[in-house]
């Protein structure tokens, strides 16, 4: 599993983008965004923000 656990919402069982209930935290969310393009887009955007945050820390 390569899911980043530094977020505070990954432990929840609701989608942070639409509020839908997930089958399970983490893996259930991946299944969820697979079926919900809007949530997937939101997740991609969030992940890019995290990546740029980390890159900024690492280069500084
Ligand atoms: Zn959702």
């Amino acid at each position: 599993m390569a899911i980043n656990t530094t977020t505070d919402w990954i432990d929840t069982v609701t989608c942070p983008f639409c509020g839908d209930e997930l089958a399970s935290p983490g893996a259930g969310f991946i299944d969820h965004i697979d079926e919900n393009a809007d949530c997937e887009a939101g997740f991609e955007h969030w992940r890019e923000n995290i990546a740029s945050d980390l890159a900024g820390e690492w280069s500084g």
Side-chain angles (χ1 to χ4, degrees):
M1 298 292 288
I3 292 181
N4 190 324
T5 56
T6 57
T7 57
D8 55 358
W9 57 258
I10 202 74
D11 289 330
T12 69
V13 289
T14 51
C15 174
F17 302 110
C18 71
D20 257 15
E21 193 171 328
L22 304 177
S24 64
F29 178 68
I30 300 303
D31 287 343
H32 174 78
I33 61 173
D34 217 37
E35 298 169 356
N36 295 272
D38 285 351
C39 299
E40 183 173 26
F43 176 66
E44 292 293 333
H45 185 71
W46 167 85
R47 198 167 57 178
E48 284 172 13
N49 283 344
I50 296 295
S52 58
D53 281 354
L54 290 177
E57 282 184 23
W58 289 344
S59 66

